[in-house]
Amino acid sequence: MKLTVTPAKRLAGEIRIPGDKSISHRAIMLGSIAKGDTHISHFLMSDDCLSTIRAFRQMGVPIEITNPETVIVKGQGLHGLKAPNSAIDAGNSGTTARLLAGLLAGQSFNSIITGDDSLRKRPMDRVIIPLRQMGANITGTQDKYLPLSIRGSALKGINYHMPVASAQVKSCLILATLYADTPSRIFEPALSRNHTELMLQAFGGRLDIYNNEIIAYPANQLYGQHVHVPGDISSAAFFITAGLLVPNSTLVLKGVGLNPTRTGILDVYKEMGGDIAIENTSTSGGEPMGDIIVKTSNLEGTVIGGQLIPRLIDEIPVIALAATQAQGTTIIKDAQELKVKESNRIATVVDILSRLGADIEATDDGMVIHGPTPLKGNQVDSFGDHRLAMMAAIAGLIAQGETTINSWECVNISFPGFYDVLSSLQK
Ligand code: SPQ
C-alpha cells in the first residue's frame, strides 16, 4: 500500500499519543508470569504487541482484550507457562524475540522462536552468548539468527559486561535470572531504557540498581498489578518534529511518557532551539508522564553522540529529518546500532532524505547533515520499517509537491491510525 502526502500550511490541535510499545510488551510478559490478574490500560494495540499477546496465549495464558486499549492478563505464576505446541512467531518485533529468549531459557519445556524476514536478519547472538553463560541450552541459525531453539534448562546467575547498550539484552538477562539459582550482575556501557526494571519492581521482583550496573535476583513469586501505559515518546517524536517544522504550528501531545532514559529527543531539540514545554506531569508505576507543547521553531545544527544515543535511538530517523531544516551541520555519531534495527537505519534514512533533496551523508557510526535544505516531494520506500514510513510522511508535510511512500502498511507495527491522527491536525 502507498501513501501520498502533500504539504501542510499549518498544524494545530491536541492529540493523545498511543501507548508505549516497550511498556506494553513488558506488561504482557510480567503479567503472564505473575500470580493473579494484571489490568493494563492504554495498551498499544499494534502488530508488535499483538505478537507478544499471541506468544503468551500459545503458552496457555488467558489474555482478554476488553476494549481496544484495555487488556486483562490472567497470570499463571512463575512456573505456570505451558509448552507451546508450535514455534512462537515474534513477527517483526525484536523486543518480543529477545525478551522471550530470556524468559524461555529457564522453563521446564522446550520452545522455538522465529520471526518475519526482517527479524530473521537481526542479530540474536547478543542474547545467545550471555544466556549460554547462564547455562541455557539455546541454538540459533548460524549461531546468530532466528529461529532460536531453546531447551529449558537449570540456569545460574552471571557477571556480564554488555558490549552494547541494549534494553533488550538487559531485559532478557533480568528475565532469565528470575529462573536462575543465583543473582546476575549486569553492566551496561550506557544507560538504556529501564522499563523492565521499573515494572519488575512494581510486580514484587528484586533488583539493586547502581547507575549502569544492575544486580538481578531470582524470584519466588510476582504479583499481578494495574499497569497504566503512558503515551509512547517514540510515536510522539513524529508530531514533535512536525510541530517544529511546519510553519505557524502549535501542537499539544497529551500523556506522553517522560522516562529520562527515553527523553533524549527533547534534550536535543531544546539544544537545537526548539520551542518545547512540558505540562501536567504525573507518575504511574514509576513511569513519569506529561503533556508536550511544541511550536514552530528555527533550529540550529548540533552534535549527537555518546551516552545520549540509547536515550533517543529510535528517534534518530526523525531527528535527521529535523536536521535537514536546521541552520548548519548536524553530526550523529556512536550510533552503529542503527544498522541492526528493522532496516539498516543509517543507509535507509540517508536514502530517503537524499531522494527528497537533503544534503546528508552516511558515516560508519551515524550521519552528517548540512542544512537548511528545501525538500522536494518524490517516491520513497519505507523499507518495511515503521519509523522510516512515519519519518517520510512528516517530510512530506514540508516538501514541495507530492511525497509518495511505498509499503506504508508497516506503520501498524507501532502506530495504527497514524495518518488519521496526522490528518486531524492539518488546518
Ligand atoms: O522491538 P524492536 O523491533 O527492536 O523495535 C525498536 C523500534 O524501533 O521500535 C527497534 F528497532 O525499538 C527497540 C529499541 O531500539 C525497543 C526496545 C525495547 O523495548 O526494549 C529497545 C531498543 O532496542 P535495543 O536493541 O537497544 O534494546
Side-chain angles (χ1 to χ4, degrees):
M1 185 186 145
K2 287 179 199 280
L3 177 81
T4 296
V5 181
T6 53
K9 286 199 184 69
R10 178 172 93 89
L11 299 178
E14 187 177 293
I15 51 173
R16 202 160 134 272
I17 297 295
D20 188 276
K21 177 158 77 71
S22 297
I23 297 176
S24 295
H25 282 301
R26 287 155 170 85
I28 297 292
M29 293 183 185
L30 292 182
S32 294
I33 58 168
K35 182 174 175 222
D37 290 1
T38 287
H39 289 249
I40 313 171
S41 54
H42 201 226
F43 182 82
L44 175 66
M45 208 56 76
S46 76
D47 286 355
D48 268 12
C49 298
L50 286 168
S51 293
T52 294
I53 289 185
R54 260 195 306 275
F56 283 89
R57 281 180 172 163
Q58 236 175 302
M59 292 187 281
V61 183
I63 301 177
E64 230 176 275
I65 300 174
T66 58
N67 75 42
E69 289 182 354
T70 308
V71 175
I72 300 171
V73 182
K74 304 263 171 208
Q76 303 297 295
L78 265 184
H79 300 283
L81 298 178
K82 296 196 176 68
N85 53 16
S86 57
I88 291 173
D89 185 356
N92 192 249
S93 173
T95 309
T96 309
R98 296 195 180 112
L99 272 59
L100 262 182
L103 194 56
L104 293 178
Q107 300 294 330
S108 55
F109 53 78
N110 303 337
S111 52
I112 294 173
I113 305 172
T114 189
D116 71 6
D117 289 351
S118 156
L119 192 56
R120 287 200 312 269
K121 293 192 190 91
R122 293 175 65 187
M124 295 295 150
D125 48 343
R126 55 182 56 198
V127 294
I128 295 174
I129 292 167
L131 285 174
R132 277 192 187 145
Q133 289 175 18
M134 292 183 75
N137 188 335
I138 175 168
T139 51
T141 305
Q142 295 165 35
D143 243 13
K144 192 171 176 179
Y145 300 109
L146 297 180
L148 298 181
S149 173
I150 302 171
R151 307 188 75 81
S153 320
L155 302 180
K156 59 181 189 318
I158 50 168
N159 271 0
Y160 191 66
H161 281 85
M162 290 168 42
V164 291
S166 160
Q168 293 174 0
V169 175
K170 174 175 64 174
S171 302
C172 166
L173 299 180
I174 292 173
L175 292 174
T177 303
L178 294 174
Y179 294 91
D181 58 7
T182 50
S184 290
R185 195 181 278 261
I186 305 159
F187 303 88
E188 281 198 280
L191 193 61
S192 64
R193 64 193 71 186
N194 64 358
H195 306 302
T196 302
E197 295 92 300
L198 293 175
M199 198 183 291
L200 182 59
Q201 287 171 317
F203 275 71
R206 177 169 173 207
L207 294 166
D208 296 335
I209 301 170
Y210 316 92
N211 300 318
N212 293 10
E213 179 187 341
I214 290 173
I215 302 175
Y217 289 86
N220 291 323
Q221 189 75 269
L222 301 177
Y223 300 92
Q225 300 293 316
H226 180 205
V227 179
H228 177 77
V229 182
D232 196 327
I233 192 162
S234 298
S235 298
F238 300 102
F239 296 99
I240 299 172
T241 309
L244 293 173
L245 299 186
V246 174
N248 305 313
S249 299
T250 301
L251 295 180
V252 180
L253 314 175
K254 304 286 283 181
V256 183
L258 296 172
N259 180 317
T261 62
R262 298 285 298 281
T263 50
I265 185 172
L266 300 180
D267 297 346
V268 163
Y269 279 164
K270 283 182 188 160
E271 161 95 17
M272 292 173 81
D275 184 346
I276 295 175
I278 308 287
E279 283 180 4
N280 297 325
T281 51
S282 61
T283 303
S284 177
E287 294 282 354
M289 54 195 280
D291 301 343
I292 299 177
I293 297 101
V294 56
K295 296 189 176 148
T296 311
S297 306
N298 292 321
L299 301 180
E300 280 176 21
T302 188
V303 178
I304 304 168
Q307 304 267 324
L308 239 186
I309 295 295
R311 298 180 55 229
L312 48 63
I313 186 76
D314 297 337
E315 291 67 73
I316 289 178
V318 81
I319 292 173
L321 167 65
T324 69
Q325 303 308 301
Q327 189 75 44
T329 300
T330 295
I331 299 171
I332 299 171
K333 58 183 186 179
D334 307 320
Q336 301 88 334
E337 274 295 295
L338 290 174
K339 294 180 180 169
V340 292
K341 299 295 182 185
E342 287 85 325
S343 66
N344 172 344
R345 287 182 180 159
I346 295 182
T348 50
V349 165
V350 170
D351 180 279
I352 294 174
L353 291 177
S354 303
R355 275 173 202 279
L356 297 175
D359 182 350
I360 178 168
E361 75 202 57
T363 60
D364 193 43
D365 64 349
M367 53 198 93
V368 177
I369 304 142
H370 301 285
T373 340
L375 301 184
K376 205 161 172 287
N378 200 347
Q379 287 256 357
V380 297
D381 207 294
S382 73
F383 299 94
D385 184 333
H386 53 131
R387 307 245 176 250
L388 298 185
M390 292 184 274
M391 179 272 276
I394 302 302
L397 299 177
I398 56 163
Q400 197 197 340
E402 288 188 347
T403 301
T404 299
I405 304 150
N406 298 328
S407 309
W408 170 253
E409 61 286 347
C410 61
V411 295
N412 293 329
I413 293 296
S414 64
F415 201 154
F418 172 83
Y419 190 67
D420 293 339
V421 177
L422 187 58
S423 305
S424 75
L425 298 172
Q426 298 202 38
K427 306 292 163 195

